[in-house]
Amino acid sequence: MTAARSGGAGAPGGHPRGRLDDVIHAPVRFSVTAALAAVDEAEFKVVRDAVEITDSALSKQVAVLEEAGYVKVRKGFVGKRPRTHLSLTGAGRDAFARHVRALRDIAATGLPGSPP
């Protein structure tokens, strides 16, 4: 399942904010996707510590990303201890890359006629 990707007008020539992904744009979800974009897979607690949030807060945000089809959750065991691993899906990697491009485009956008 996929979520609505962007708010605003994403028409060619429109402001780049129209290409921002509503699912990824929330600061914690952006931080989670950024952390996962750097690796193939990460253990839940490693992401939690990197993003500096609680287990429950990460669980809630991962559920949103998973529902959007951006994150895959894999549960397993190391010995007798349960472990949860997170990874970005192909769609998640693509959405993150598009979102970052839109942010860069916004940062590069000045007023018409202003120096570069």
Side-chain angles (χ1 to χ4, degrees), residues 56-80:
S56 62
L58 180 56
S59 291
K60 288 175 188 175
Q61 300 307 318
V62 165
V64 172
L65 291 164
E66 186 179 28
E67 176 71 21
Y70 291 170
V71 168
K72 178 182 175 192
V73 177
R74 182 178 65 83
K75 295 185 181 271
F77 287 87
V78 174
K80 292 185 178 187

Side-chain angles (χ1 to χ4, degrees), residues 14-85:
H15 194 277
R17 79 175 164 274
R19 298 192 319 266
L20 291 173
D21 188 296
D22 289 337
V23 174
I24 293 175
H25 194 63
V28 171
R29 290 193 296 269
F30 180 77
S31 298
V32 170
T33 55
L36 292 174
V39 297
D40 290 331
E41 183 177 73
E43 196 170 322
F44 183 93
K45 67 181 183 176
V46 172
V47 176
R48 176 202 63 207
D49 293 347
V51 177
E52 300 178 352
I53 58 174
T54 64
D55 286 355
S56 62
L58 180 56
S59 291
K60 288 175 188 175
Q61 300 307 318
V62 165
V64 172
L65 291 164
E66 186 179 28
E67 176 71 21
Y70 291 170
V71 168
K72 178 182 175 192
V73 177
R74 182 178 65 83
K75 295 185 181 271
F77 287 87
V78 174
K80 292 185 178 187
R81 295 177 184 239
R83 294 287 188 260
T84 300
H85 291 85

Side-chain angles (χ1 to χ4, degrees), residues 85-96:
H85 291 85
L86 307 173
S87 60
L88 283 182
T89 62
R93 287 189 183 280
D94 291 346
F96 180 72

Side-chain angles (χ1 to χ4, degrees), residues 2-14:
T2 57
R5 299 292 187 254
S6 63

